[in-house]
Amino acid sequence: MRMARALLVVVLAACFVALGLPGGAAAERKIVGIYELKKGDFSIKVTNWGATLMSVILPDSRGNLGDVILGYDTVAEYVNGTAYFGGLIGRVANRIANARFTLDGKSYRLFPNDGNNTLHGGHRGFDKVVWTVEEHLAGGRSPFITLYYHSFDGEQGFPGDVDVHVTYQITGRHALSVRMNATARGKATPVNLAHHAYWNLGGDGSGSVLGQKVRLFASRYTPVGAALIPTGRLAPVAGTPYDFRRPAAVGARIGGLLSRGVAGYDINYVVDGGRGLRRVAAVRDGASGRAMELWADQPGVQFYTANGLSGVRGKGGKVYGRYGALCLETQGFPNAVNEPSFPSQIVRPGEVYRHHMLFRFSF
């Protein structure tokens, strides 16, 4: 096995403050780095702070290179950030109603960080911890990096120890694979990992994505109540602002949401098809000519149009505003742990949760 070498390693005091770690030897064991994978004119950067994807750089139709995800220049900014830019979300992504659930007759209380609900794993989810770099191959035919995190029994209120891995790998000339897995140890526990990249194919900080075209391979969605908790129903997208079965501009029907007081898209879709890797979404930016196709093996995908961004200062001092990106977070259904009719997210001791995403870019 080829051990990782950081291209740029920075020891961040802010990390240790955030984690409540002392200095000295303990701090030395928690080194945070930035790691690059590169193949031709396609490259990404990852940090082991939150297993975060920091950049995705690829050409446009004229050959000009650009970064197509939002984020920050330094790891310290990710430590203090609240937008989940590029983070690996867990132990359970999305929302859990009333920050509680019952499993095998025992009730568990979680950390509420979204009103009365738990969002993206709680106050300190997997995107706010230091991961261990197990392997890193920066170049060659198929560059990759594998990161590991041990989630302890009781972390943010969740039961049982869980061993988590994520591998980012450039698998083709312009293809990025993200493989996640988690093994439960000792106790049954819910697991629902997600990747939270903010995509703007025109380039980060290039403005609104409302004109970019999206197609979602989903004919149903999970309606939500006022707190964005699913009602438990599956509803058809036909005749609603949520219908992207054919390519349409992101903003084409957003007025139907705004008129109801909804800030934009932030909803889980039920991906069509059976099990296994299948098409989830396609996005195209007319100005740059860049296109992205997403394949995954999860039952749902959260489509989010960065409704909460407002004056966030990102890479190179660029200011990100509302609708400055879109997220496509493949996942299990939100609040599934409290909805018996939804596909189960429970992982029993010794079982392995698996989640594969594949991004294919063209221009």
Side-chain angles (χ1 to χ4, degrees):
M1 293 172 63
R2 182 166 179 169
M3 300 306 293
R5 289 187 62 188
L7 298 181
L8 173 63
V9 177
V10 185
V11 179
L12 296 169
C15 294
F16 310 127
V17 172
L19 292 171
L21 295 174
E28 292 175 2
R29 290 195 298 270
K30 293 291 183 179
I31 294 175
V32 175
I34 298 174
Y35 304 83
E36 184 176 51
L37 308 180
K38 183 176 177 62
K39 184 173 183 177
D41 56 7
F42 182 39
S43 65
I44 72 168
K45 287 183 180 177
V46 174
T47 174
N48 58 317
W49 174 262
T52 298
L53 184 63
M54 295 180 69
S55 68
V56 176
I57 296 175
L58 70 158
D60 63 12
S61 59
R62 294 173 293 278
N64 300 314
L65 295 179
D67 193 347
V68 295
I69 63 170
L70 275 56
Y72 303 113
D73 290 317
T74 67
V75 178
E77 291 170 289
Y78 286 95
V79 172
N80 297 315
T82 59
Y84 305 98
F85 285 143
L88 197 289
I89 306 299
R91 178 177 305 191
V92 174
N94 220 301
R95 293 171 175 85
I96 296 177
N98 299 312
R100 67 179 66 181
F101 65 93
T102 299
L103 177 58
D104 295 338
K106 184 174 181 179
S107 296
Y108 295 93
R109 299 185 68 88
L110 309 174
F111 193 102
N113 63 324
D114 182 50
N116 294 324
N117 306 315
T118 295
L119 174 65
H120 290 338
H123 174 68
R124 197 181 78 199
F126 291 178
D127 64 302
K128 290 295 184 183
V129 297
V130 180
W131 293 58
T132 299
V133 178
E134 288 196 337
E135 292 186 87
H136 173 218
L137 181 63
R141 294 183 61 184
S142 194
F144 72 96
I145 184 169
T146 297
L147 304 107
Y148 164 77
Y149 178 65
H150 176 77
S151 179
F152 58 86
D153 184 13
E155 185 173 17
Q156 298 295 296
F158 291 101
D161 294 298
V162 177
D163 291 323
V164 189
H165 290 85
V166 59
T167 297
Y168 295 95
Q169 186 169 21
I170 296 178
T171 58
R173 186 178 177 188
H174 297 105
L176 172 63
S177 167
V178 183
R179 290 186 179 271
M180 300 163 253
N181 66 68
T183 304
R185 309 290 187 191
K187 298 178 183 177
T189 185
V191 177
N192 182 25
L193 305 181
H195 193 264
H196 210 299
Y198 283 69
W199 299 97
N200 186 329
L201 297 184
D204 81 296
S206 63
S208 168
V209 297
L210 293 182
Q212 295 183 16
K213 288 191 174 181
V214 170
R215 182 181 182 186
L216 299 176
F217 295 86
S219 54
R220 295 176 296 169
Y221 72 108
T222 53
V224 297
L228 297 180
I229 300 294
T231 63
R233 294 191 307 113
L234 306 184
V237 299
T240 77
Y242 299 109
D243 191 353
F244 285 93
R245 290 174 297 168
R246 294 183 178 181
V250 174
R253 304 182 186 90
I254 202 169
L257 300 179
L258 300 177
S259 65
R260 303 203 305 258
V262 179
Y265 291 97
D266 190 5
I267 198 78
N268 174 68
Y269 284 79
V270 181
V271 179
D272 291 337
R275 297 181 180 182
L277 198 67
R278 58 202 188 278
R279 283 194 299 179
V280 174
V283 185
R284 176 174 292 277
D285 175 58
S288 68
R290 294 190 185 100
M292 178 180 78
E293 190 170 76
L294 169 60
W295 293 63
D297 58 4
Q298 296 300 293
V301 59
Q302 190 82 8
F303 179 45
Y304 175 56
T305 47
N307 314 323
L309 290 186
S310 178
V312 176
R313 190 168 296 276
K315 299 171 187 174
K318 298 171 184 174
V319 178
Y320 305 144
R322 178 175 284 188
Y323 312 136
L326 58 87
C327 301
L328 294 163
E329 307 154 58
T330 54
Q331 60 181 1
F333 295 172
N335 199 39
V337 73
N338 290 311
E339 285 289 350
S341 64
F342 284 178
S344 176
Q345 295 170 204
I346 303 303
V347 181
R348 300 281 170 183
E351 293 181 346
V352 181
Y353 161 97
R354 301 185 190 277
H355 182 171
H356 183 200
M357 307 176 76
L358 178 63
F359 299 92
R360 293 173 175 163
F361 302 95
S362 57
F363 39 87

